[in-house]
Amino acid sequence: MAAKNSKAKDTQAKYTVPGLEIEDGHRVAEILQMRLHALNDLQLTLKHAHWNVVGPNFIGVHEMLDPQIDEVRAAVDVIAERIATLGVSPGGTPGALVAERTWDDYSLGRADTIEHIAALDQVYDGVIADHRNAIEETGKLDPITEDILTGQTGDLEQFQWFLRSFLTNAAGELSTAGATTEKSAAKQGAAKKS
Ligand SMILES: [Fe+2]
C-alpha cells in the first residue's frame, strides 16, 4: 500500500472536476483504476478465449466474443478518460495491471467451447460483482462516475447472459451451479453437455 501511495503522488494532478473535493475526486479515480485493470484484463481474456475455443460450436462462440471485446474495449476507454478527467493519470500498462490486480490469470488454454463459456461465466461473475461494489462506493462521492459504472454493468450483465444461455437448461438451471473456479465450472459445463 505504501508503494501505491508514493506512486499516487506522481500521478495526481492539482485539480479534480468542479464541485468535488480534490481528495474525493482522486479517491473515485483510485476506485476506477482497479475497474480499468479489470476491464483491460477482461478484454484480453475474451480475445484469448476467442482464439482458443475448439469444437462443434466453434464458429458461433468465436464470433459471439468479438462484439463483446469491442464493447469492453470501449468501456476501458471511458473509464481511463474518466480517471484523467478526475485529475489522475490512468495506468494502462500490462505491468501495472499484473502488479496491481487481485485475481489470477485466466486458467484455460485450448478447450471446448462449452468449457470456455463456463469459465468465462466465472470471469464475468467476478468483474460484475466488483463493478457493483464500485457503483456503491463511487455513488457516495460522485454520481457522474456512478452513472458510467451503472451503464457498463448493465452491458456486462447482458454479455454474461449470452454465455449463460449456453449453460442453462429448459428448467432454468445452470449446469455450472455451485462452481467456484474457472476449471471446476469448465468441468461441470462439459460433463452436463455429454
Ligand atoms: Fe479474430
Side-chain angles (χ1 to χ4, degrees):
M1 277 323 251
K4 208 173 172 186
N5 286 340
S6 63
K7 192 187 119 204
K9 285 202 176 93
D10 303 331
T11 60
Q12 291 176 351
K14 304 282 189 283
Y15 62 83
T16 190
V17 291
L20 264 192
E21 295 295 330
I22 192 161
E23 306 78 39
D24 289 343
H26 291 177
R27 170 66 191 137
V28 170
E30 194 182 308
I31 295 165
L32 285 179
Q33 178 60 56
M34 200 51 80
R35 305 325 306 136
L36 177 57
H37 285 325
L39 294 183
N40 254 332
D41 194 298
L42 177 62
Q43 56 104 353
L44 290 169
T45 297
L46 290 169
K47 204 58 161 169
H48 170 83
H50 167 86
W51 295 322
N52 274 284
V53 287
V54 292
N57 294 320
F58 164 78
I59 199 66
V61 175
H62 177 77
E63 289 190 349
M64 178 185 69
L65 292 173
D66 262 345
Q68 297 196 10
I69 293 159
D70 289 343
E71 290 295 324
V72 173
R73 283 180 174 163
V76 163
D77 196 46
V78 170
I79 295 272
E81 291 178 5
R82 183 68 187 160
I83 294 171
T85 301
L86 287 161
V88 176
S89 164
T93 60
L97 192 169
V98 172
E100 293 168 20
R101 72 181 172 184
T102 55
W103 54 92
D104 293 328
D105 225 8
Y106 186 66
S107 54
L108 270 63
R110 187 192 303 113
D112 190 83
T113 48
I114 204 71
E115 292 179 84
H116 275 294
I117 292 279
L120 290 173
D121 179 48
Q122 291 284 313
V123 171
Y124 270 108
D125 266 355
V127 174
I128 290 168
D130 289 348
H131 242 57
R132 273 188 181 266
N133 289 335
I135 289 169
E136 201 174 326
E137 275 193 87
T138 58
K140 294 171 195 149
L141 301 169
D142 177 24
I144 315 301
T145 296
E146 180 189 29
D147 186 55
I148 290 169
L149 290 172
T150 302
Q152 289 185 354
T153 304
D155 290 340
L156 293 168
E157 288 175 348
Q158 188 193 31
F159 299 156
Q160 187 184 32
W161 168 61
F162 288 178
L163 301 179
R164 286 182 160 183
S165 67
F166 287 80
L167 307 168
T168 306
N169 65 17
E173 296 158 334
L174 274 174
S175 59
T176 52
T180 53
T181 66
E182 292 158 8
K183 288 227 160 125
S184 64
K187 200 176 272 185
Q188 260 179 253
K192 203 73 176 189
K193 191 187 139 216
S194 53

